[in-house]
Amino acid sequence: MTGLVRKNFASPEETRPFEADKGKVDLVSLNAIPVGRGTFEPGWRWSEHVKPIAGTDSCQASHVGLTLSGRMHIVMDDGEEMEFGAGDLMVCPPGHDAWVVGDEPCVVLDWAGYGDYAKR
């Protein structure tokens, strides 16, 4: 077992920008477990700003996360939909589109789905 580990998003190990400067994912690794902080700017939509990077029809990442600020609307491929805001924890399986709601950036911590997210 390793000892204590401390990481900080002020010094991410990797940053992956989205298309059209609509946000980014900052990544750190905690004992080989990737943890990401996604910053999604107003106007961001997965199908416009990450789909060209992912090359899939919908997001195929599975997310487990906490919304820190802003709002995000998620629609599953089967039509189920939900909106998440500050303080909401989420579990989101693969097969969805998502977009920012409103004029505030949406910031999400994710400890399951950002390992390969928006990876070029």
Side-chain angles (χ1 to χ4, degrees), residues 2 5 8 14-15 20 42 50-52 54 72 78 81 95 103 112 114:
T2 62
V5 175
N8 192 305
E14 184 179 358
T15 297
V50 181
K51 180 179 180 176
M72 183 173 290
D78 69 4
E81 56 188 286
D103 296 327
Y114 284 167

Side-chain angles (χ1 to χ4, degrees), residues 23-97:
K24 64 183 179 175
V25 170
D26 292 319
L27 291 159
V28 298
S29 180
L30 299 174
N31 292 338
I33 300 169
V35 179
R37 178 184 62 188
T39 304
F40 305 89
E41 297 296 335
W44 175 89
R45 186 177 185 116
W46 185 90
S47 55
E48 294 176 23
H49 302 103
V50 181
K51 180 179 180 176
I53 300 167
T56 56
D57 288 336
S58 60
C59 181
Q60 296 302 305
S62 179
H63 303 286
V64 177
L66 169 64
T67 307
L68 298 176
S69 62
R71 299 198 68 75
M72 183 173 290
H73 193 90
I74 300 174
V75 177
M76 302 301 299
D77 290 348
D78 69 4
E80 180 183 8
E81 56 188 286
M82 192 173 290
E83 193 167 299
F84 297 88
D88 289 339
L89 291 159
M90 78 162 87
V91 173
C92 179
H96 57 271
D97 192 6

